């Protein structure tokens, strides 16, 4: 691909222009000198990017990040091979012709390298209860210029606003084509289906894999019944523990041993233990 511009040293001609190019293609940036009285004018190419100016062609050789994939043809023009996103910039051709009445002139060409989007990353909730809000997300970071996004449900394109299309009057959603978000303020049963997103720019388009979203009804009666069952079970367990305490089921063995200790000996009574008479034998009588 070539983009040619004419440069007249006898005229004050500075004609800005731009050129769109796909990634990894080749491009020719040309400035053509007419009506020059100088046989061998000096040619320089400069690259202006993010407010900084660097040399591309100076002192009859390629310089900077374009070295190795750029050459000069026709003495004044540049040919760039395998352009990348970093090559997007303003290129300025400067000509110095000392034998001309107008010794210096220049022109600029803006080069924009377009990059096709890759498959975006989509996030779709698997299940959402009826009446609840839901957000679906779609993001892509490689495409240039920045892609715009569109959402599909069951292969049917969704409008940016459900209220703008009678076909979706039972839905309540909004699509942000710049951020890639699909927001439901309150989902309905009709919103169930397979969703996917497409990211597009002037260089091409790409889509993510379809993902299913189910919208289900909330069983209020079932939820209340389940809560009541749990409360009843807790009440029965609590009553059982209280009854067990009352019946002494939780008294420790230490307490049981202390309740069966031998009664204390009466004063004035002396007991001795012998092997012939069993455990105890009376030795003396009470003294009154």
């Amino acid at each position: 691909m070539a983009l040619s511009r004419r440069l007249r040293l006898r005229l004050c001609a500075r004609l800005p222009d731009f050129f769109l190019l796909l990634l990894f293609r080749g491009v020719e940036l040309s400035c053509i000198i007419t009506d020059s009285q100088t046989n061998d004018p000096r040619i320089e190419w400069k690259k202006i990017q993010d407010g900084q100016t660097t040399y591309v062609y100076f002192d009859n050789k390629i310089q900077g990040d374009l070295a190795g994939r750029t050459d000069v043809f026709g003495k004044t023009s540049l040919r760039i091979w395998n352009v990348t996103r970093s090559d997007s910039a303003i290129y300025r051709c400067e000509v110095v012709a000392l034998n001309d009445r107008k010794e210096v002139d220049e022109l600029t060409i803006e080069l924009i390298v377009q990059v096709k989007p890759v498959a975006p990353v989509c996030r779709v909730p698997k299940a959402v209860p009826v009446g609840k809000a839901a957000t679906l997300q779609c993001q892509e970071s490689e495409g240039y210029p920045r892609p715009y996004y569109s959402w599909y449900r069951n292969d049917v394109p969704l409008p940016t606003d459900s209220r703008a299309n009678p076909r979706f009057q039972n839905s309540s959603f909004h699509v942000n084509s710049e951020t890639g978000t699909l927001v439901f303020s309150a989902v309905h049963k009709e919103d169930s289906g397979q969703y996917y997103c497409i990211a597009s720019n002037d260089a091409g388009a790409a889509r993510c894999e379809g993902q299913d979203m189910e919208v289900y009804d909330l069983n209020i009666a079932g939820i209340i019944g389940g809560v009541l069952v749990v409360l009843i079970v807790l009440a029965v367990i609590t009553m059982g523990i209280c009854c067990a305490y009352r019946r002494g089921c939780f008294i420790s063995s230490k307490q049981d041993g202390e309740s069966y200790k031998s009664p204390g000996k009466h004063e004035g009574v002396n007991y001795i233990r012998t092997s012939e008479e069993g455990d105890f034998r009376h030795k003396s009588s009470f003294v009154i």
Side-chain angles (χ1 to χ4, degrees), residues 21-27 69 80-85 87:
L21 185 69
L22 295 179
L23 187 69
F24 303 130
R25 299 288 183 86
V27 62
R69 54 189 182 92
I80 306 174
W81 307 100
N82 295 327
V83 295
T84 65
R85 185 184 302 180
D87 296 330

Side-chain angles (χ1 to χ4, degrees), residues 211-261:
Q211 301 179 39
D212 293 328
M213 184 179 77
E214 178 189 0
V215 180
Y216 61 91
D217 290 317
L218 278 177
N219 189 349
I220 304 299
I223 295 175
I224 295 176
V227 173
L228 291 177
V229 169
V230 172
L231 292 177
I232 292 172
V233 170
L234 291 176
V236 171
I237 294 174
T238 303
M239 293 176 60
I241 294 174
C242 293
C243 292
Y245 267 113
R246 291 176 181 176
R247 295 179 180 180
C249 295
F250 294 96
I251 297 177
S252 64
S253 59
K254 181 179 180 181
Q255 291 176 337
D256 292 342
E258 292 177 352
S259 62
Y260 290 99
K261 286 184 178 180

Side-chain angles (χ1 to χ4, degrees), residues 9-74:
L9 294 180
R10 292 182 180 276
L11 301 176
C12 182
R14 183 176 180 179
L15 305 176
D17 205 344
F18 69 93
F19 188 63
L20 300 177
L21 185 69
L22 295 179
L23 187 69
F24 303 130
R25 299 288 183 86
V27 62
E28 295 178 358
L29 306 179
S30 301
C31 60
I32 301 174
I33 301 174
T34 60
D35 299 334
S36 176
Q37 302 300 316
T38 304
N39 293 329
D40 191 16
R42 190 180 76 209
I43 309 297
E44 294 179 359
W45 278 94
K46 296 179 180 179
K47 178 180 179 180
I48 305 171
Q49 186 180 57
D50 298 330
Q52 296 183 348
T53 302
T54 57
Y55 279 107
V56 175
Y57 181 71
F58 177 73
D59 197 19
N60 295 325
K61 60 183 178 181
I62 302 296
Q63 306 196 18
D65 59 348
L66 290 174
R69 54 189 182 92
T70 303
D71 57 17
V72 177
F73 69 98

Side-chain angles (χ1 to χ4, degrees), residues 18 22 28 55 110 129 136 139 141 244 280:
F18 69 93
L22 295 179
E28 295 178 358
Y55 279 107
E110 182 178 7
L136 286 67
Q139 294 179 335
S141 58
F280 295 98

Side-chain angles (χ1 to χ4, degrees), residues 151-159 161-173 184 188 190-191:
W151 277 95
Y152 291 74
R153 181 179 68 201
N154 299 330
D155 295 326
V156 176
L158 300 180
D161 192 338
S162 59
R163 296 173 298 180
N165 192 324
R167 183 176 183 179
F168 301 94
Q169 60 183 355
N170 293 329
S171 298
S172 56
F173 62 81
F184 290 88
H188 299 77
E190 294 81 3
D191 296 323

Side-chain angles (χ1 to χ4, degrees), residues 100-149:
D100 285 72
R101 183 178 304 175
K102 181 177 174 54
E103 295 183 352
V104 180
D105 206 348
E106 65 182 35
L107 60 82
T108 59
I109 301 173
E110 182 178 7
L111 176 64
I112 300 175
V113 180
Q114 298 179 330
V115 182
K116 178 183 176 180
V118 298
V121 177
C122 296
R123 296 179 177 87
V124 179
K126 294 184 179 299
V128 184
V130 170
K132 296 295 183 179
T135 300
L136 286 67
Q137 296 179 332
C138 180
Q139 294 179 335
E140 196 279 337
S141 58
E142 296 297 327
Y144 186 85
R146 289 183 59 184
Y148 59 91
Y149 302 93

